[in-house]
Amino acid sequence: MISNNQKDALLEATIELFKETEHPEKVTSRQIASRAGVNLAMINYYFGSKDELTSQALSAIFTIPIDKLQALRNPAEAPKERLKNFLIYISQIVIRYKRYAKLYIPHLLLEADISQPQLIFPEIREHFGSEKSEEQCRLIAYQLISFLQLIFYRSDAFMLYSGININLENEAERLINTELNLLLPDSIVEE
């Protein structure tokens, strides 16, 4: 029987190799297997493909500690302010690890479960109260998250289009404020 420690070793090796290079997309399966001290075939055995191993490694790198998430949910703040703080925190993580964005964001947008919007749904629901349906709040959450993922993925093209350099923290914060004011207005006018 093959040890599950090999699976952990592959994941840890991938994370280490990604953190050691400026070009994680160039890390090969052979390098990963060699670093982990396992047979190359174990990547497919445990993960099905190098892409899946890459996605799991990047997911581990981008994981938000639960205590930090809870700290961002200060009940003394308005829901829109909590949401802003959360989105700014996430954008700072993406900026810090932007060399991984080109590898990870397509996975989030095209393959992963749609779970990221769930992280911000409670604040959106609370902001709107009974003014918007649950469905409308879920769509707003998805729109906010997928928009940010897409512009981080296409940051250069987005800068040419909008003049906003999303890779600078102050400009990312300005964009987040603009998006929140558009999608979560302080006064709600029903048509």
Side-chain angles (χ1 to χ4, degrees):
M1 181 170 168
I2 298 171
S3 168
N4 205 29
N5 289 337
Q6 290 181 337
K7 181 177 182 181
D8 295 339
L10 285 165
L11 193 57
E12 289 171 22
T14 305
I15 292 168
E16 288 171 6
L17 287 165
F18 282 176
K19 287 183 175 181
E20 292 171 6
T21 182
E22 285 299 312
H23 301 284
E25 69 280 2
K26 293 183 180 180
V27 172
T28 67
S29 297
R30 290 190 191 289
Q31 289 173 308
I32 294 167
S34 176
R35 173 70 64 95
V38 302
N39 184 302
L40 181 62
M42 294 298 103
I43 291 174
N44 285 339
Y45 178 80
Y46 285 115
F47 298 95
S49 68
K50 180 189 174 221
D51 288 342
E52 182 57 29
L53 171 57
T54 296
S55 294
Q56 287 188 31
L58 292 171
S59 181
I61 291 169
F62 281 103
T63 297
I64 304 165
I66 294 297
D67 58 332
K68 180 62 179 177
L69 187 57
Q70 293 308 324
L72 292 169
R73 285 210 158 103
N74 180 353
E77 293 178 335
K80 187 174 176 180
E81 187 67 20
R82 292 192 311 262
L83 181 56
K84 180 182 89 166
N85 292 338
F86 178 77
L87 293 174
I88 289 170
Y89 177 74
I90 295 299
S91 72
Q92 290 169 345
I93 291 172
V94 174
I95 290 167
R96 185 176 330 128
Y97 296 117
K98 77 179 190 178
R99 68 182 186 255
Y100 306 127
K102 294 284 185 192
L103 288 172
Y104 192 49
I105 291 175
H107 171 75
L108 290 174
L109 285 168
L110 302 172
E111 298 171 26
D113 291 339
I114 300 175
S115 59
Q116 292 81 24
Q118 267 313 114
L119 296 172
I120 65 171
F121 175 77
E123 279 71 27
I124 293 170
R125 182 83 229 140
E126 185 180 344
H127 174 78
F128 286 111
S130 63
E131 298 295 321
K132 299 250 183 232
S133 69
E134 180 171 329
E135 179 181 81
Q136 290 170 320
C137 291
R138 286 187 184 283
L139 291 173
I140 291 168
Y142 184 77
Q143 187 174 358
L144 270 168
I145 293 293
S146 62
F147 172 75
L148 287 173
Q149 290 169 337
L150 184 61
I151 63 167
F152 272 111
Y153 182 70
R154 304 212 47 216
S155 60
D156 294 338
F158 185 74
M159 186 170 75
L160 289 173
Y161 171 74
S162 68
I164 299 170
N165 184 350
I166 193 73
N167 293 307
L168 300 175
E169 286 187 19
N170 64 329
E171 292 194 37
E173 185 173 338
R174 183 168 55 92
L175 177 70
I176 289 167
N177 281 325
T178 301
E179 276 296 295
L180 288 175
N181 288 332
L182 288 170
L183 296 173
L184 281 80
D186 290 327
S187 60
I188 302 165
V189 179
E190 290 293 321
E191 296 177 12

